[in-house]
Amino acid sequence: MSTTPHRSRTWLHIGLFILAIVLLAVVVWFAIRGHTGAPSTAAPTASATASASASADAPDATAPVSAREVREANAVRFEQLWRTYGADSTIDPKEFAHRPAKDVLNALRVTDYTPPDWSAVSTIQRNSDYGPTGQNPACQGTTNSFSCMAYPTVGEWWVQQAWGSGSRWIEGPTVEHTGEHTATVTGVVRAILVEPGDTFHSTDTYALTPSWQDYPVSDELTFDTDGKVSEVSSNQPSPWWVSPWNQLWDTNMNRIMANGRRVAIPVQGQPVMDINPTQPVMRAPATQADLDGKVDWSLWEGMCMASCGDQQQGFTVSPDGREH
């Protein structure tokens, strides 16, 4: 009897058994690989996509600031420090009307004229002979006078000449680059001066009469390689009271500001300024018709006295402090 068919079936069974073992090994291998962190080719989930999108849209906190932006920021900050001092010249006179004189005077009093520190934005060195640390004008020619001995610096002396003075930017500073290391800064700075003196009053209402004056600014700035201001020059007349820190303080502010914009603020009670000026101060109005219409009496509306019929109207100041 032949055994060929039987042998064939035997080899077939062996082959199928071997194939099954191979397939089982392949399945086990893929299962093990999947559990050991093999990279997945599956599509990203919605949360993963949203996270990636948010990262792409978020601003780069480490983005560098350009040299131009550094120069512009330094110019603005420098000019604010360079031309700001003392009393706030942007006050609205209406805010002080009919308030106690003592409160108004406290808001306007200045006793400290310490120069600011601009070293973070400028390499300009302040000359100690200029600004408030300069010499009292009374010391010129002699140092034996009482004023010179009591107030050796012009800043100390000025505290006795003016109840309050100061300046603030009201427009700008606006920076326009004119070269890689140069720029022009423009705008307007407003000054204020408050001084004692006889003044108009009726019963317990007194006229406190500060002076305001606006000055256009056009400065040429030069920057060093770090973007700091290294030089400044002005294209407009710039008296010390709107550029106080590196100029000589002279005795001209009273005379010039006397011709500025005057507003008679009605305050309750007599303004008592306990200072001792050694030079003439701005003249205060003796009546509502005094000073040839240079004084604005609009805040006294409804409070007309005997002199009202002769009152001469001057400019008026709106809440933003502008003349009309």
Side-chain angles (χ1 to χ4, degrees):
M1 177 186 288
S2 174
T3 61
T4 301
H6 176 73
R7 290 194 184 118
S8 297
R9 285 194 299 271
T10 300
W11 285 110
L12 177 62
H13 290 161
I14 294 172
L16 291 173
F17 179 75
I18 293 173
L19 179 60
I21 292 175
V22 171
L23 290 175
L24 179 60
V26 170
V27 170
V28 170
W29 183 84
F30 274 106
I32 293 174
R33 181 176 174 81
H35 283 287
T36 55
S40 172
T41 58
T45 63
S47 61
T49 303
S51 176
S53 176
S55 298
D57 294 337
D60 184 359
T62 62
V65 178
S66 70
R68 183 185 180 93
E69 291 172 318
V70 170
R71 291 193 296 270
E72 183 169 345
N74 286 346
V76 169
R77 184 59 182 150
F78 169 77
E79 285 285 354
Q80 289 171 337
L81 294 170
W82 189 252
R83 294 186 176 277
T84 298
Y85 90 111
D88 185 356
S89 59
T90 65
I91 62 167
D92 179 2
K94 291 181 180 178
E95 296 297 321
F96 287 146
H98 309 297
R99 289 176 54 184
K102 183 178 180 180
D103 293 348
V104 178
L105 290 178
N106 285 342
L108 295 172
R109 180 57 167 152
V110 181
T111 60
D112 183 9
Y113 291 102
T114 303
D117 178 10
W118 55 67
S119 59
V121 295
S122 173
T123 60
I124 294 176
Q125 299 297 309
R126 201 183 68 81
N127 188 331
S128 61
D129 292 334
Y130 295 164
T133 55
Q135 188 183 58
N136 177 352
C139 297
Q140 296 176 3
T142 177
T143 59
N144 295 324
S145 69
F146 169 79
S147 177
C148 178
M149 291 186 292
Y151 315 112
T153 70
V154 68
E156 294 169 318
W157 173 81
W158 185 247
V159 169
Q160 295 299 316
Q161 308 307 308
W163 183 258
S165 66
S167 63
R168 297 289 189 278
W169 285 88
I170 60 169
E171 294 180 12
T174 301
V175 182
E176 180 180 354
H177 287 83
T178 55
E180 184 178 357
H181 295 289
T182 57
T184 298
V185 177
T186 56
V188 178
V189 171
R190 174 167 295 165
I192 186 174
L193 177 61
V194 186
E195 288 191 306
D198 295 333
T199 184
F200 172 82
H201 74 97
S202 173
T203 63
D204 66 342
T205 301
Y206 284 72
L208 183 64
T209 317
S211 177
W212 284 266
Q213 197 142 258
D214 294 348
Y215 293 86
V217 171
S218 177
D219 288 344
E220 300 293 336
L221 303 187
T222 302
F223 304 91
D224 65 9
T225 54
D226 293 327
K228 291 186 177 183
V229 178
S230 58
E231 185 178 341
V232 56
S233 61
S234 182
N235 297 324
Q236 293 283 353
S238 189
W240 68 260
W241 51 92
V242 292
S243 183
W245 308 121
N246 229 24
Q247 290 196 70
L248 287 173
W249 287 25
D250 56 30
T251 60
N252 292 329
M253 184 178 185
N254 315 60
R255 176 177 56 83
I256 295 174
M257 289 292 288
N259 296 316
R261 303 189 299 269
R262 306 289 295 275
V263 180
I265 305 173
V267 296
Q268 299 304 306
Q270 183 176 6
V272 178
M273 303 183 194
D274 188 17
I275 59 177
N276 301 292
T278 57
Q279 65 174 352
V281 300
M282 297 185 300
R283 186 168 69 85
T287 70
Q288 283 186 297
D290 194 12
L291 293 181
D292 301 323
K294 294 179 181 179
V295 175
D296 171 21
W297 290 91
S298 62
L299 296 179
W300 290 63
E301 185 177 357
M303 300 175 60
C304 287
M305 315 306 165
S307 60
C308 258
D310 298 324
Q311 180 178 342
Q312 299 183 42
Q313 295 294 336
F315 80 99
T316 60
V317 175
S318 61
D320 65 358
R322 295 195 175 280
E323 179 179 347
H324 298 283

